DNA sequence: CTGTTAGCGCGTTCAG
DNA sequence: CTGAACGCGCTAACAG
């Protein structure tokens, strides 16, 4: 437990000089700084973060507030990848990460603002929160810099940023992919309707249909809550009535449910029915057949979120929306109807 | 940013009384305590953790030091589930969690002991660390209470606990499962040889063979590093020479690699070759065919780890090894040779 | 039962 | 360039 005091004693200087040496203050003789640094190194000294937190005005703590971890399917590993990216981004910028995982099944939750206050949090990354969450509103009102993942706000605040892929463009691409391969009987399997990403993807899909001069009837759009099982059930029902040539799914998880339903209906993919997904979960490469889907780089999303937040916290950058690249990866679940 | 001082002022008492009211000290009049609590509530006060950390002797911070997150396959979500369990366990015990993710690809890493020192960490959960890691040794030497996940140490320290399923028993069960269904040409696909869990599972497999009076030749044991791709390659090579009736895999991930190799060799599962896995990853239910495997409840493992650590930190329990239940889940990848 | 005092380990004035 | 003094928010020991 070597403290700054002991280092000061060993170096024959006062604590404040040690502090300055450690924190790159300009008003210190290079030689003594060098010497102190060396002694600190030898003594295996590293500053206590609680002490530093308490005395410093600088905000070095970043909060990750996420409801995506406890409230999503075990198969849904997106949040995990995002968090890895956040962790790396925070670490690379020499900040600290405090994680707050929301579990909607738990009775009473601590307010997000309180969480931040207790931990001297200078900026927060928000993942999977509902916009009608009162705690969310409270947090925004505190004016703590925030970065939203997969959501854009209307508020024009200088300390609010956001990050996502270009869901609109991706929606167009995946729909184009189907349309250009001759599919006309397409059923769209949407996620949670009020969700930003879902809305954008749907807009994209609509635009693609419009562009191709093909109608997209409302009854061909089904919302399955980003849930595998619900998608499975919806598709099972639907297939009793009609047989589309393709399902366009706004998540891989839902695509898995669709594939199960299609197989159980005695149809084969992609010969009878095509399926396209969204996310590119690791397992989409080994489904049967492997799933054609939109790849999102979740690690990058998290990483960029952290970097953006740090910039906003340092006032080096005002609020903005950052787009991360996506990519359509073509595998074996979509048939080209033109070829036989 | 309301502080304890302001609460004290509002309540017309000194700060120490407020502190005592908040921390359930016995020497305080119930009425004033009630009053203070209410005022604190009204003022939306919650204590600053840095301040508390600095002054209190109690160690409320728990560290999670894991190399399993950055150094494993994206498909391997075990670590994720374990961490969820840890988070919940730590939260339920009103402790704080600090996470340190080791990335072996990064050049210089901070020492684990230093990480703990900087953050006043009173106990640590260790996941996926190598026993020959010098930082690991250094941390243990600090005498900070530790709980190992999936590893048992020889050291007899009062502050070291460990947790895992009964890998030996599970190894027996899965081997019995194959042997009892008439399999005799079995190839064991092991993981990382030096690993505790691998050794135990192998011991169990050997015991099962011995019990059944059947030899297990050494050349039928292949170590594939818990790696899907390596298992795939090993199996591909092996199948060119001989065709076992079953592969016994010490992880689901390796089982996936085996299944791929088997299919590519033109064989079908389970008719020609059976496969049994270990872990029960979420996707093992939807592989083709669904994988028979040993289910580990990773959430519970993490959760129990946190609870055990808290007990050890509070000296309520001396070191011990906790076993979490496992279960063989029978799906469609093992054929009973007796039946046709 | 309550208040006073003294730190915890550090960053930050402000004199020198 | 260096050091003394102060305070961050809180708990703990000790008087009263």
């Amino acid at each position: 437990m070597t403290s700054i005091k002991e280092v000061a004693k060993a170096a024959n200087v006062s604590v404040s000089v040690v502090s300055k040496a450690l924190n790159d203050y300009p008003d210190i003789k290079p030689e003594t700084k060098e010497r102190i640094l060396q002694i600190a190194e030898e003594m295996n000294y590293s500053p206590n973060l609680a002490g530093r937190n308490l005395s410093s005005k600088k905000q070095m703590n970043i909060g990750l507030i996420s409801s995506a971890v406890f409230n999503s399917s075990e198969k849904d590993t997106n949040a995990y990848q995002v968090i890895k990216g956040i962790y790396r981004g925070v670490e690379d910028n020499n900040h600290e990460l405090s994680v707050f995982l929301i579990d909607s099944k738990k009775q009473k939750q601590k307010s997000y603002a309180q969480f931040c206050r207790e931990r001297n949090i200078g900026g927060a990354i928000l993942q999977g929160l509902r916009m009608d969450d009162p705690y969310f509103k409270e947090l925004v009102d505190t004016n703590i810099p925030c970065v939203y993942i997969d959501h854009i706000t209307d508020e024009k605040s200088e300390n609010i940023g956001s990050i996502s892929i270009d869901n609109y463009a991706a929606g167009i691409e995946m729909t184009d992919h189907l349309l250009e391969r001759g599919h006309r009987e397409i059923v769209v399997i949407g996620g949670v309707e009020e969700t930003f990403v879902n809305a954008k993807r749907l807009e994209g899909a609509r635009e693609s249909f419009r562009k191709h001069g093909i109608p997209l009837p409302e009854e061909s759009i089904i919302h399955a809550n980003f849930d595998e099982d619900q998608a499975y059930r919806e598709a099972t029902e639907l297939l009793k009535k009609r047989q589309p040539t393709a399902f366009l799914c706004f998540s891989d998880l839902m695509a898995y449910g669709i594939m199960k339903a299609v197989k159980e209906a005695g149809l084969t993919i992609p010969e009878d029915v095509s399926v396209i997904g969204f996310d590119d979960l690791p397992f989409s490469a080994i489904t049967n057949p492997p799933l054609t889907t939109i790849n999102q780089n979740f690690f990058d999303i998290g990483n960029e979120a952290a970097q953006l937040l740090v910039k906003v916290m340092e006032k080096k950058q005002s609020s903005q929306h950052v787009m991360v690249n996506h990519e359509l990866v073509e595998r074996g679940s979509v048939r080209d109807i033109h070829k036989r």
Side-chain angles (χ1 to χ4, degrees), chain A:
Chain A
M1 277 308 177
T2 129
S3 79
I4 196 173
K5 218 182 282 181
E6 306 173 41
V7 177
K9 194 179 296 176
N12 258 322
V13 290
S14 75
V15 278
S16 67
V17 180
V18 178
S19 175
K20 286 175 184 175
L22 261 41
N23 296 302
D24 281 326
Y25 271 60
D27 59 343
I28 184 169
K29 186 156 47 166
E31 310 148 38
T32 56
K33 173 173 174 178
E34 222 26 71
R35 191 167 55 87
I36 290 173
L37 254 35
Q38 180 161 353
I39 292 178
E41 171 79 41
E42 281 167 12
M43 297 180 71
N44 217 333
Y45 168 76
S46 57
N48 180 296
L49 293 180
R52 171 172 286 181
N53 246 324
L54 216 46
S55 70
S56 174
K57 291 284 96 185
K58 290 175 199 143
Q59 302 274 233
M60 285 295 156
N61 293 344
I62 288 178
L64 164 59
I65 302 176
S66 172
S67 74
V69 172
F70 277 123
N71 303 316
S72 59
S73 157
E74 284 213 349
K75 287 180 194 157
D76 188 352
T77 56
N78 303 354
Y80 185 40
Q81 299 302 327
V82 171
I83 292 176
K84 283 188 191 178
I86 292 174
Y87 181 89
R88 179 67 61 73
V90 170
E91 189 188 48
D92 287 350
N93 283 282
N94 298 310
H95 286 241
E96 281 292 301
L97 184 64
S98 294
V99 179
F100 189 22
L101 268 26
I102 315 300
D103 187 344
S104 58
K105 287 184 293 296
K106 280 196 97 175
Q107 52 295 36
K108 93 174 167 34
Q109 290 280 182
K110 179 178 298 182
S111 119
Y112 312 152
Q114 182 182 345
F115 174 84
C116 292
R117 245 182 292 125
E118 289 174 347
R119 288 162 189 76
N120 294 43
I121 280 172
I125 297 174
L126 274 31
Q127 182 183 31
L129 300 190
R130 299 181 48 132
M131 295 304 125
D132 56 359
D133 183 338
Y135 285 153
F136 172 78
K137 182 89 179 97
E138 179 198 7
L139 176 62
V140 172
D141 286 343
T142 64
N143 231 25
I144 291 177
C146 286
V147 167
Y148 305 152
I149 287 176
D150 274 352
H151 191 266
I152 292 184
T153 179
D154 315 317
E155 302 185 52
K156 286 229 192 309
S157 162
E158 279 301 296
N159 348 285
I160 295 189
S162 56
I163 195 148
S164 73
I165 62 165
D166 187 340
N167 285 285
Y168 175 72
I172 294 180
E173 283 170 48
M174 68 192 297
T175 314
D176 283 356
H177 189 79
L178 256 30
L179 259 20
E180 287 164 5
R181 277 158 189 74
H183 292 277
R184 290 299 175 265
E185 292 291 315
I186 297 176
V187 169
V188 175
I189 307 292
V192 177
E193 208 163 348
E194 309 79 37
T195 257
F196 171 77
V197 293
N198 187 79
K200 285 296 168 189
R201 289 168 199 174
L202 189 52
E203 272 180 38
R206 286 214 163 90
E207 167 61 16
S208 171
F209 272 93
R210 198 201 52 72
K211 213 172 52 183
H212 286 81
I214 299 166
L216 171 60
E218 283 306 309
E219 61 268 27
S220 288
I221 303 175
I222 296 175
H223 282 279
N225 203 30
F226 287 128
D227 184 77
E228 178 178 357
D229 205 51
Q230 189 170 337
Y232 164 74
R233 280 179 275 121
E234 295 277 7
T236 302
E237 283 310 305
L238 184 137
L239 286 170
K240 288 178 188 163
K241 297 179 217 139
R242 64 194 188 100
Q243 182 182 328
T245 66
F247 285 95
L248 185 149
C249 310
F250 285 172
S251 83
D252 279 7
L253 229 41
M254 294 193 297
Y256 299 156
I258 299 294
M259 290 169 85
K260 185 178 169 200
V262 170
K263 287 177 193 169
E264 288 187 5
L267 304 167
T268 72
I269 306 169
E271 288 74 11
D272 301 320
V273 180
S274 293
V275 177
I276 188 166
F278 203 112
D279 283 346
D280 197 13
L281 297 184
F283 279 86
S284 295
I286 62 172
T287 51
N288 184 25
L291 186 66
T292 293
T293 186
I294 299 280
N295 174 273
Q296 298 198 60
N297 192 327
F298 292 105
F299 182 92
D300 276 359
I301 290 178
N303 200 254
E304 294 283 348
Q307 294 187 37
L308 174 59
L309 179 59
V310 169
K311 283 183 198 147
V312 173
M313 284 167 69
E314 293 172 347
K315 308 282 180 208
K316 286 190 184 155
Q317 178 150 5
S318 65
S319 102
Q320 84 169 66
H321 182 76
V322 171
M323 295 268 198
V324 171
N325 288 333
H326 64 269
E327 186 187 4
L328 192 153
V329 358
E330 203 170 341
R331 288 199 269 249
S333 63
V334 173
R335 173 182 165 216
D336 188 336
I337 292 187
H338 302 311
K339 304 178 187 166
R340 340 190 347 125

